[in-house]
Amino acid sequence: MVTIYRSTEMEPRARGREFGNRFAAKVKANVETYGTLFTRFSGGSIDIPAAGKAALAATAGFAPALHAEMLGIAEGAGVDPVLIGALNARTEILAMAKAATRGECSAVIHLTPELTAPVAVQTWDWYHSFDDAWLVWEIPLADGSVTKTMTEYGIVGKAGLNTRGLGLLFTILHHTADGAEIGVPVHVAARAVLDGAANLFRAAQMLGTAKVSASSSLNLVGFEGGVGKAMTVEMHPGGPSFVLPDAEGFIVHTNHFLAPGPAAHDTEPRAFPDTLLRRDLLRRELGGIGRPGVEDVLAAMRRHEGFEGAVCCRPEPGEDPATAYQTLATVILDLAGGELTVLKGRP
């Protein structure tokens, strides 16, 4: 069963404190599990508190309200704030460790010529040990809107939408320049645009100001005045890059760069070429359907050939549970209704 939690506090630090107090055990568990992951990949060579401190500083410069919220989470959960900073910078720390982590997630957005809401669905693939380490967090804001995000306990955001008609799907990318420092955490950037951007244009503009040290695709989708819009912002050091829907209205993003500039520095296809296969399979299967709906996308995402390299990811037979990798959740955005639906496990 998916946990859905709705904040009651509006002030960022108080909201974080309320969250941290409510989910103290879960936040501490994620701090510990990620700490083990960081050590496994870095061999203990990275100063995690220092990285967390740098992440807090980068967040304070880019999204002061989220910096305050992170401090509140630390207070409420009884955790050192630098460890909450490190948790939110989990992608950046793993990039610094040069961790050979698999790509996460497959995302599909489809726009139609008619005045109908876009289709927007993604899978979230990660280690089995995080199977119960996430929730749906609903965050009422002062302007009367609500941000709704699927995220990990202690991390301020990931994929989701707001009730102003803006949504975001999230997949990790890998670039040769990743990991030189700790920049704005990509999870912070995702939440910041859902909270603060009035529309898709403003969201892309905001992301363009974020100096990041790790790469991810933030796939923006909007439904404004009855018109669907979409754009991928490929975040990377020295970026970002921007990708528009193809001629049939599709954005299909897995874990490799689509923009030609950063694609020349992409480390994912050689290490894990399943990213190319997953994107090709989804694009071909859905392209044969005139007007694919959510159920069509879910059906395509259920393809599990290839085990952990499949769209619907599951561990290889006999794989060590400590390193087992699988689809943990499936995210569906209803931009017209402002509803976020998250299915636990495979689609």
Side-chain angles (χ1 to χ4, degrees):
M1 183 175 180
V2 176
T3 297
I4 301 175
Y5 172 73
R6 190 178 183 93
S7 291
T8 64
E9 297 284 356
M10 292 283 191
E11 193 277 322
R13 191 150 183 164
R15 179 169 55 237
R17 191 182 304 115
E18 177 186 51
F19 184 97
N21 183 63
R22 172 66 178 79
F23 297 110
K26 291 284 193 180
V27 172
K28 289 176 180 175
N30 270 357
V31 167
E32 182 177 348
T33 306
Y34 270 110
T36 300
L37 198 67
F38 297 154
T39 299
R40 173 155 65 90
F41 279 115
S42 71
S45 63
I46 295 176
D47 184 338
I48 300 305
K53 184 177 180 180
L56 287 173
T59 299
F62 179 72
L66 295 183
H67 175 259
E69 186 175 283
M70 289 160 64
L71 295 180
I73 291 172
E75 290 174 5
V79 174
D80 189 328
V82 298
L83 297 182
I84 297 300
L87 190 59
N88 279 268
R90 58 88 142 169
T91 302
E92 290 67 29
I93 293 173
L94 290 172
M96 184 174 281
K98 303 301 180 185
T101 55
R102 298 187 55 80
E104 297 176 50
C105 318
S106 301
V108 173
I109 295 170
H110 185 244
L111 308 178
T112 62
E114 299 83 2
L115 299 183
T116 56
V119 171
V121 183
Q122 80 160 85
T123 57
W124 176 46
D125 309 326
W126 198 220
Y127 292 102
H128 173 73
S129 53
F130 293 96
D131 186 41
D132 292 315
W134 58 274
L135 79 162
V136 172
W137 188 6
E138 298 184 349
I139 304 150
L141 301 173
D143 66 357
S145 66
V146 181
T147 291
K148 302 177 182 181
T149 182
M150 184 280 289
T151 189
E152 299 165 81
Y153 290 102
I155 296 179
V156 295
K158 198 188 292 285
L161 53 71
N162 61 40
T163 54
R164 299 187 302 276
L166 176 68
L168 183 150
L169 301 178
F170 192 111
T171 80
I172 199 167
L173 303 172
H174 296 97
H175 188 284
T176 55
D178 287 348
E181 57 184 353
I182 298 292
V184 175
V186 288
H187 286 82
V188 167
R191 167 71 186 282
V193 298
L194 291 178
D195 280 5
N199 51 42
L200 190 149
F201 163 72
R202 293 296 183 189
Q205 191 176 49
M206 184 184 300
L207 291 175
T209 69
K211 183 180 179 182
V212 301
S213 61
S215 301
S216 288
S217 78
L218 275 61
N219 302 279
L220 301 171
V221 56
F223 190 53
E224 306 161 19
V227 178
K229 302 175 184 177
M231 171 188 287
T232 293
V233 184
E234 293 184 333
M235 309 291 286
H236 57 90
S241 302
F242 302 91
V243 178
L244 293 172
D246 64 22
E248 294 181 51
F250 281 100
I251 289 178
V252 178
H253 219 301
T254 49
N255 305 113
H256 59 281
F257 285 96
L258 300 181
H265 305 278
D266 195 340
T267 66
E268 186 73 7
R270 183 172 182 178
F272 299 107
D274 64 283
T275 180
L276 303 171
L277 297 173
R278 284 184 281 125
R279 183 179 187 276
D280 178 67
L281 186 151
L282 288 168
R283 183 62 185 85
R284 284 188 294 109
E285 190 158 326
L286 294 171
I289 303 170
R291 299 176 183 178
V294 169
E295 289 301 324
D296 297 309
V297 177
L298 291 175
M301 286 182 166
R302 291 187 188 109
R303 299 293 293 269
H304 58 266
E305 297 84 357
F307 287 92
E308 69 170 10
V311 178
C312 180
C313 176
R314 57 181 180 173
E316 296 278 6
E319 186 175 1
D320 182 351
T323 58
Y325 196 86
Q326 67 185 64
T327 298
L328 299 183
T330 305
V331 179
I332 304 165
L333 307 185
D334 174 3
L335 276 298
E339 294 299 329
L340 173 63
T341 299
V342 182
L343 309 176
K344 186 173 175 60
R346 300 187 293 271

